[in-house]
Amino acid sequence: GAVVSQHPSWVICKSGTSVKIECRSLDFQATTMFWYRQFPKQSLMLMATSNEGSKATYEQGVEKDKFLINHASLTLSTLTVTSAHPEDSSFYICSAFQRGRGRDTEAFFGQGTRLTVV
Amino acid sequence: SQQGEEDPQALSIQEGENATMNCSYKTSINNLQWYRQNSGRGLVHLILIRSNEREKHSGRLRVTLDTSKKSSSLLITASRAADTASYFCATTSGTYKYIFGTGTRLKVLA
């Protein structure tokens, strides 16, 4: 199956700093990527839809100025957590759909990034 | 919230037994998918069932879908310790956006 690589796998940062997480589709082009957030022992909550070449679409309640998304190419989307605080500590996962495939298909997920803000 | 619900939230069984988990969703769907997540890891796709399908098999997995009840079930037969993980259903309704269920944490005891 297609491969989505997420980097870094884990990161610890100081409160007030910004952290960038990358999501790459390694062997296919992805016009659309999604960013999810997952708290311990909870489900995945969609944060935003990242569209190549256009602005991201954020879900209700997600601060777009805090979670900056850039989808600069067909294989890369980035999520930047700006001015991180301890409550931003979470597991962040991206997913991507292969361009050209129908909607009736599976998404491919990155391995996730564990962010800890101290 | 549009999030689906799964039950049970947690399930503990002996190796060799079957595990059944259920998923209910709220809106009409194009397809429903089941994913598995090992602790602290990404998601692995298990099976996709389309809205016009009622049952699907893949190895030891059996998925059913009842669109009239907006529910699906995942059956894992002859479970193994390696099946210990969290299982999530996810639905799409014509877009690429996924809505995930709350998940079932399965523990298979050796």
Side-chain angles (χ1 to χ4, degrees):
Chain A
V3 177
V4 174
S5 176
Q6 201 171 325
H7 177 80
S9 298
W10 58 270
V11 57
I12 300 173
C13 71
K14 289 186 177 179
S15 192
T17 62
S18 295
V19 174
K20 182 186 281 189
I21 302 169
E22 292 187 349
C23 179
R24 290 181 186 273
S25 54
L26 295 186
D27 52 359
F28 66 98
Q29 293 182 328
T31 52
T32 304
M33 292 184 176
F34 296 89
W35 287 96
Y36 293 85
R37 182 174 182 175
Q38 185 180 32
F39 290 105
K41 296 186 179 180
Q42 293 190 28
S43 186
L44 282 75
M45 298 301 294
L46 179 65
M47 298 175 66
T49 303
S50 172
N51 299 296
E52 186 267 334
S54 63
K55 288 183 179 179
T57 305
Y58 290 82
E59 294 299 302
Q60 193 172 11
V62 178
E63 298 176 62
K64 59 183 178 183
D65 294 331
K66 178 154 192 73
F67 298 101
L68 300 179
I69 291 172
N70 186 296
H71 195 152
S73 77
L74 286 171
T75 59
L76 174 64
S77 174
T78 60
L79 168 69
T80 301
V81 183
T82 62
S83 186
H85 291 283
E87 56 265 30
D88 298 324
S89 298
S90 191
F91 194 58
Y92 294 88
I93 307 178
C94 69
S95 73
F97 281 86
Q98 190 169 358
R99 186 186 193 191
R101 295 187 69 181
R103 292 196 170 111
D104 201 15
T105 186
E106 70 200 74
F108 299 99
F109 284 83
Q111 65 269 48
T113 296
R114 170 122 2 243
L115 169 64
T116 302
V117 185
V118 298
Chain B
S1 167
Q2 294 184 7
Q3 189 173 39
E5 290 190 12
E6 291 180 58
D7 79 273
Q9 289 187 346
L11 179 61
S12 187
I13 59 174
Q14 295 291 327
E15 208 166 26
E17 294 181 339
N18 295 342
T20 300
M21 48 206 94
N22 304 294
C23 163
S24 60
Y25 54 91
K26 297 181 181 179
T27 62
S28 60
I29 62 171
N30 244 29
N31 65 64
L32 183 145
Q33 307 190 31
W34 284 90
Y35 287 85
R36 165 196 167 122
Q37 183 183 37
N38 287 83
S39 182
R41 307 289 291 272
L43 275 75
V44 174
H45 180 262
L46 295 177
I47 199 165
L48 178 155
I49 186 165
R50 295 178 177 82
S51 58
N52 61 352
E53 296 176 315
R54 293 295 167 258
E55 188 171 313
K56 208 157 181 185
H57 297 256
S58 177
R60 294 184 295 114
L61 306 180
R62 173 178 167 253
V63 167
T64 61
L65 178 64
D66 187 335
T67 52
S68 66
K69 295 181 180 178
K70 291 188 169 59
S71 68
S72 173
S73 68
L74 170 67
L75 167 68
I76 304 174
T77 60
S79 63
R80 305 166 183 167
D83 293 329
T84 295
S86 291
Y87 292 82
F88 295 94
C89 65
T91 56
T92 60
S93 54
T95 70
Y96 292 115
K97 193 154 82 167
Y98 277 52
I99 304 295
F100 279 83
T102 49
T104 294
R105 293 192 305 281
L106 172 67
K107 189 169 186 178
V108 182
L109 304 169

